[in-house]
Amino acid sequence: MQLRPNQRQKLDDKDDKLFYAYPRFVTHVDEGFIQQLTDLYRDRLKPNTRILDMMSSWVSHLPEEMQFDHVEGHGLNAEELARNSRLNHYFVQNLNENPQLPLPDADFDAVLNCVSVQYVQYPEAIFSEIYRILKPGGVAIISFSNRMFFEKAIQAWREASESQRVELVKAYFASVPGFTTAEVIAHKSTLPNLFQWLGAAGGDPFYAVIAYRS
């Protein structure tokens, strides 16, 4: 799968590090979404394993009762990452400038990306890196809703419907030989669009696309 050049474009094409220069100590989805994500992590992650929380922030939504050998954090704001108590270590890197992760091959049991995949301009490279650092049998969980920083999302995401965005992430996985066929969990919102955009409780749809390194 190859996105066309125009599909990778953002309305705000300035350096992403400028946009994320100041910390945002908020959650970008509602409590219903967060609970579903934590439940999914509880079901799919194993204790005492190594986790990469890619494009993370000041919270990772991991189950409180689960302990891991190591949780590596990645993001664009060091203050947010420093506040995240679940991280054992973190690094700051703009993946749209340099998609190569400074991490060893086959070193992680899981890679997580929560509500950030819409900002990736070169997903083929990023998902190749996810595959590279996963151990055989390791899982990648990409979760998202319908919220975004509109000016920073790529055109392919901005112009897509919710179901088309699911297919887009499935295609990202399919672009890398060696991933299992992607599994989709979709819980659409039953609220009218107006109430969703106003942030009404229970308004955020929940999507997760999951694949394993064969």
Side-chain angles (χ1 to χ4, degrees):
M1 186 218 67
Q2 293 289 329
L3 292 178
R4 297 187 302 276
N6 64 298
Q7 291 181 300
R8 304 180 195 273
Q9 292 178 353
K10 302 183 178 189
L11 296 177
D12 176 1
D13 61 0
K14 295 188 293 293
D15 190 332
D16 290 338
K17 286 182 286 190
L18 297 175
F19 186 80
Y20 294 99
Y22 297 97
R24 296 176 174 89
F25 295 116
V26 296
T27 54
H28 300 290
V29 281
D30 66 16
E31 288 300 320
F33 181 102
I34 292 170
Q35 185 60 58
Q36 291 179 83
L37 181 60
T38 300
D39 289 343
L40 176 61
Y41 287 165
R42 184 177 289 112
D43 181 56
R44 297 304 178 99
L45 302 180
K46 297 178 181 178
N48 306 316
T49 53
R50 293 177 58 81
I51 311 293
L52 170 64
D53 190 6
M54 174 187 284
M55 303 176 77
S56 184
S57 66
W58 67 290
V59 287
S60 290
H61 309 306
L62 295 166
E64 291 183 5
E65 76 280 4
M66 290 186 74
Q67 299 300 315
F68 302 97
D69 279 348
H70 182 88
V71 180
E72 183 77 17
H74 155 264
L76 274 175
N77 186 279
E79 288 183 68
E80 290 185 16
L81 297 170
R83 179 81 69 89
N84 190 330
S85 62
R86 295 308 300 266
L87 303 181
N88 299 108
H89 182 265
Y90 64 84
F91 64 99
V92 174
Q93 180 174 321
N94 184 350
L95 298 181
N96 289 327
E97 287 184 352
N98 176 17
Q100 186 170 0
L101 297 170
L103 302 168
D105 295 353
D107 195 45
F108 288 87
D109 299 281
V111 175
L112 315 176
N113 184 299
C114 173
V115 297
S116 295
V117 68
Q118 59 267 31
Y119 308 121
V120 172
Q121 291 178 286
Y122 303 97
E124 306 90 338
I126 298 301
F127 278 67
S128 292
E129 282 292 281
I130 292 173
Y131 179 84
R132 179 184 66 80
I133 67 171
L134 277 175
K135 298 176 182 178
V139 64
I141 302 175
I142 312 298
S143 59
F144 52 94
S145 187
N146 59 355
R147 299 199 203 185
M148 70 188 90
F149 293 121
F150 197 78
E151 66 272 36
K152 280 298 184 181
I154 63 169
Q155 179 181 302
W157 193 274
R158 295 194 312 270
E159 296 184 351
S161 66
E162 291 182 20
S163 60
Q164 288 171 333
R165 291 167 184 166
V166 170
E167 293 303 314
L168 198 59
V169 179
K170 287 172 62 179
Y172 294 167
F173 277 119
S175 72
V176 182
F179 274 119
T180 60
T181 301
E183 171 191 356
V184 174
I185 297 174
H187 297 150
K188 297 181 180 181
S189 176
T190 58
L191 292 180
N193 287 340
L194 174 62
F195 290 97
Q196 291 183 42
W197 284 109
L198 289 175
D204 286 355
F206 176 84
Y207 297 99
V209 184
I210 306 163
Y212 294 80
R213 175 170 171 165
S214 298

Coordinates of all heavy atoms in Angstrom, one line a residue, residues 110-148:
A110 N 4.8 -6.2 22.9 CA 3.6 -5.4 22.4 C 4.0 -4.0 22.1 O 4.9 -3.4 22.7 CB 2.5 -5.4 23.5
V111 N 3.3 -3.5 21.0 CA 3.5 -2.1 20.7 C 2.0 -1.5 20.7 O 1.1 -2.0 20.0 CB 4.1 -1.9 19.3 CG1 4.1 -0.4 18.9 CG2 5.5 -2.4 19.3
L112 N 1.9 -0.4 21.4 CA 0.6 0.3 21.5 C 0.6 1.7 20.9 O 1.6 2.4 21.0 CB 0.2 0.4 23.0 CG 0.5 -0.8 23.9 CD1 0.2 -0.5 25.3 CD2 -0.4 -2.0 23.4
N113 N -0.5 2.0 20.2 CA -0.6 3.4 19.7 C -2.0 3.8 19.9 O -3.0 3.2 19.3 CB -0.2 3.4 18.2 CG -0.3 4.8 17.7 OD1 -1.3 5.5 17.7 ND2 0.8 5.3 17.2
C114 N -2.2 4.8 20.8 CA -3.6 5.2 21.2 C -3.8 6.6 20.6 O -3.1 7.6 20.9 CB -3.7 5.3 22.7 SG -5.2 6.0 23.3
V115 N -4.9 6.7 19.8 CA -5.4 8.0 19.2 C -4.3 8.9 18.6 O -4.4 10.1 18.7 CB -6.3 8.8 20.2 CG1 -7.5 8.0 20.6 CG2 -5.6 9.2 21.4
S116 N -3.4 8.2 17.9 CA -2.3 9.0 17.3 C -2.0 8.6 15.8 O -1.2 9.3 15.2 CB -1.0 8.9 18.1 OG -1.2 9.6 19.4
V117 N -2.5 7.5 15.4 CA -2.1 6.9 14.1 C -2.5 7.9 13.0 O -1.9 7.9 11.9 CB -2.8 5.5 13.9 CG1 -4.3 5.6 13.7 CG2 -2.1 4.8 12.7
Q118 N -3.5 8.8 13.2 CA -4.0 9.7 12.2 C -2.9 10.7 11.8 O -3.1 11.4 10.8 CB -5.3 10.4 12.6 CG -5.2 11.2 13.9 CD -5.6 10.4 15.1 OE1 -5.4 9.2 15.2 NE2 -6.1 11.1 16.1
Y119 N -1.9 10.9 12.6 CA -0.9 11.9 12.4 C 0.4 11.4 11.6 O 1.3 12.2 11.3 CB -0.4 12.5 13.7 CG -1.6 13.0 14.5 CD1 -1.8 12.5 15.8 CD2 -2.5 13.9 14.0 CE1 -2.9 12.9 16.6 CE2 -3.6 14.3 14.8 CZ -3.8 13.8 16.0 OH -4.9 14.3 16.8
V120 N 0.4 10.1 11.4 CA 1.6 9.4 10.8 C 1.5 9.6 9.2 O 0.6 9.2 8.6 CB 1.6 8.0 11.1 CG1 2.7 7.3 10.3 CG2 1.9 7.8 12.6
Q121 N 2.6 10.3 8.7 CA 2.6 10.5 7.3 C 3.2 9.4 6.5 O 3.0 9.3 5.3 CB 3.4 11.8 7.0 CG 2.6 13.1 7.5 CD 3.4 14.4 7.3 OE1 4.4 14.6 8.0 NE2 3.1 15.2 6.3
Y122 N 4.0 8.6 7.1 CA 4.7 7.5 6.4 C 4.4 6.2 7.1 O 5.3 5.6 7.7 CB 6.2 7.8 6.2 CG 6.5 9.1 5.5 CD1 6.7 10.2 6.3 CD2 6.4 9.1 4.1 CE1 7.0 11.4 5.6 CE2 6.6 10.3 3.5 CZ 6.9 11.5 4.2 OH 7.1 12.7 3.6
P123 N 3.1 5.8 7.1 CA 2.7 4.6 7.9 C 3.4 3.3 7.5 O 3.7 2.4 8.3 CB 1.2 4.5 7.7 CG 1.0 5.2 6.4 CD 2.0 6.3 6.4
E124 N 3.8 3.2 6.2 CA 4.4 2.0 5.7 C 5.8 1.8 6.4 O 6.1 0.7 6.9 CB 4.7 2.1 4.2 CG 3.4 2.3 3.3 CD 3.2 3.8 3.1 OE1 3.7 4.7 3.9 OE2 2.5 4.1 2.1
A125 N 6.5 2.9 6.6 CA 7.8 2.8 7.3 C 7.6 2.6 8.8 O 8.3 1.8 9.4 CB 8.6 4.1 7.1
I126 N 6.6 3.2 9.4 CA 6.3 3.1 10.8 C 5.9 1.7 11.1 O 6.4 1.0 12.1 CB 5.3 4.1 11.3 CG1 5.7 5.5 11.1 CG2 4.9 3.8 12.8 CD1 7.0 5.8 11.9
F127 N 5.0 1.1 10.4 CA 4.5 -0.3 10.6 C 5.6 -1.3 10.3 O 5.6 -2.3 11.0 CB 3.2 -0.5 9.9 CG 2.0 0.0 10.5 CD1 1.8 1.4 10.7 CD2 1.1 -0.8 11.1 CE1 0.7 1.9 11.3 CE2 -0.1 -0.3 11.7 CZ -0.2 1.0 11.9
S128 N 6.5 -1.0 9.4 CA 7.7 -1.9 9.3 C 8.6 -1.9 10.5 O 9.1 -2.9 10.9 CB 8.5 -1.4 8.1 OG 7.8 -1.6 6.9
E129 N 8.7 -0.7 11.1 CA 9.5 -0.6 12.4 C 8.8 -1.3 13.5 O 9.4 -2.0 14.3 CB 9.7 0.9 12.7 CG 10.8 1.5 11.9 CD 12.2 0.9 12.3 OE1 12.7 1.3 13.4 OE2 12.6 0.1 11.6
I130 N 7.4 -1.2 13.6 CA 6.7 -1.9 14.6 C 6.9 -3.4 14.5 O 7.2 -4.1 15.4 CB 5.2 -1.6 14.5 CG1 4.9 -0.2 14.9 CG2 4.4 -2.6 15.4 CD1 3.5 0.3 14.6
Y131 N 6.9 -3.9 13.2 CA 7.1 -5.3 13.0 C 8.6 -5.7 13.4 O 8.8 -6.7 14.0 CB 6.9 -5.6 11.5 CG 7.2 -7.1 11.1 CD1 6.2 -8.1 11.3 CD2 8.5 -7.5 10.7 CE1 6.5 -9.4 11.0 CE2 8.7 -8.8 10.4 CZ 7.7 -9.8 10.5 OH 8.0 -11.1 10.2
R132 N 9.5 -4.9 13.1 CA 10.9 -5.2 13.4 C 11.2 -5.3 14.8 O 11.9 -6.2 15.3 CB 11.8 -4.1 12.8 CG 13.3 -4.3 13.1 CD 14.1 -3.1 12.6 NE 13.9 -1.9 13.3 CZ 14.4 -1.6 14.5 NH1 15.2 -2.5 15.1 NH2 14.2 -0.4 15.1
I133 N 10.6 -4.5 15.7 CA 10.9 -4.5 17.1 C 10.1 -5.5 17.9 O 10.4 -5.8 19.0 CB 10.8 -3.1 17.7 CG1 9.4 -2.6 17.7 CG2 11.7 -2.1 17.0 CD1 9.1 -1.3 18.5
L134 N 9.0 -6.0 17.3 CA 8.2 -7.0 18.0 C 8.9 -8.3 18.0 O 9.5 -8.8 17.0 CB 6.8 -7.1 17.3 CG 5.7 -6.1 17.7 CD1 4.5 -6.4 16.8 CD2 5.4 -6.2 19.1
K135 N 8.7 -9.1 19.1 CA 9.1 -10.5 19.1 C 8.1 -11.3 18.3 O 7.0 -10.9 18.1 CB 9.1 -11.0 20.6 CG 10.0 -10.2 21.5 CD 9.9 -10.8 22.9 CE 10.8 -10.0 23.9 NZ 10.6 -10.5 25.3
P136 N 8.5 -12.4 17.8 CA 7.6 -13.3 17.1 C 6.4 -13.6 18.1 O 6.6 -13.9 19.2 CB 8.4 -14.6 16.8 CG 9.8 -14.1 16.7 CD 9.9 -13.0 17.7
G137 N 5.2 -13.4 17.6 CA 4.0 -13.6 18.4 C 3.6 -12.3 19.1 O 2.6 -12.3 19.8
G138 N 4.4 -11.3 19.0 CA 4.1 -10.0 19.7 C 2.9 -9.3 19.0 O 2.6 -9.5 17.8
V139 N 2.2 -8.5 19.8 CA 1.0 -7.9 19.3 C 1.2 -6.4 19.1 O 1.9 -5.7 19.9 CB -0.2 -8.2 20.3 CG1 0.1 -7.5 21.7 CG2 -1.5 -7.7 19.8
A140 N 0.5 -5.8 18.1 CA 0.4 -4.4 17.9 C -1.1 -4.0 18.0 O -1.9 -4.6 17.4 CB 0.9 -4.0 16.6
I141 N -1.4 -3.0 18.9 CA -2.8 -2.6 19.1 C -2.8 -1.1 18.7 O -2.2 -0.2 19.4 CB -3.2 -2.8 20.5 CG1 -3.1 -4.3 20.9 CG2 -4.6 -2.3 20.8 CD1 -3.4 -4.6 22.4
I142 N -3.6 -0.8 17.7 CA -3.8 0.6 17.2 C -5.2 1.0 17.5 O -6.1 0.4 17.0 CB -3.5 0.7 15.7 CG1 -2.2 0.0 15.3 CG2 -3.5 2.2 15.3 CD1 -1.0 0.6 15.9
S143 N -5.4 2.0 18.4 CA -6.7 2.4 18.8 C -7.0 3.8 18.4 O -6.1 4.6 18.4 CB -6.9 2.2 20.3 OG -6.0 2.9 21.1
F144 N -8.2 4.1 18.1 CA -8.6 5.5 17.7 C -10.1 5.7 17.8 O -10.9 4.8 17.9 CB -8.1 5.8 16.3 CG -8.5 4.8 15.3 CD1 -9.7 5.0 14.5 CD2 -7.8 3.6 15.0 CE1 -10.1 4.0 13.6 CE2 -8.2 2.7 14.1 CZ -9.3 2.9 13.4
S145 N -10.5 7.0 17.8 CA -11.9 7.4 17.9 C -12.1 8.3 16.7 O -11.5 8.1 15.6 CB -12.2 8.1 19.2 OG -13.5 8.3 19.3
N146 N -13.0 9.2 16.8 CA -13.2 10.1 15.7 C -12.7 11.5 16.0 O -12.9 12.5 15.2 CB -14.7 10.2 15.4 CG -15.6 10.7 16.5 OD1 -15.1 10.9 17.6 ND2 -16.9 10.8 16.3
R147 N -12.0 11.7 17.1 CA -11.4 13.0 17.5 C -10.0 13.1 16.9 O -9.3 12.1 16.7 CB -11.3 13.1 19.0 CG -12.7 13.1 19.7 CD -12.5 13.7 21.0 NE -13.6 13.3 22.0 CZ -13.7 13.8 23.2 NH1 -12.8 14.8 23.6 NH2 -14.6 13.4 24.0
M148 N -9.6 14.3 16.7 CA -8.2 14.5 16.1 C -7.9 16.0 16.2 O -8.8 16.8 16.3 CB -8.1 14.1 14.7 CG -8.9 14.9 13.7 SD -9.0 14.3 12.0 CE -10.5 13.3 12.2

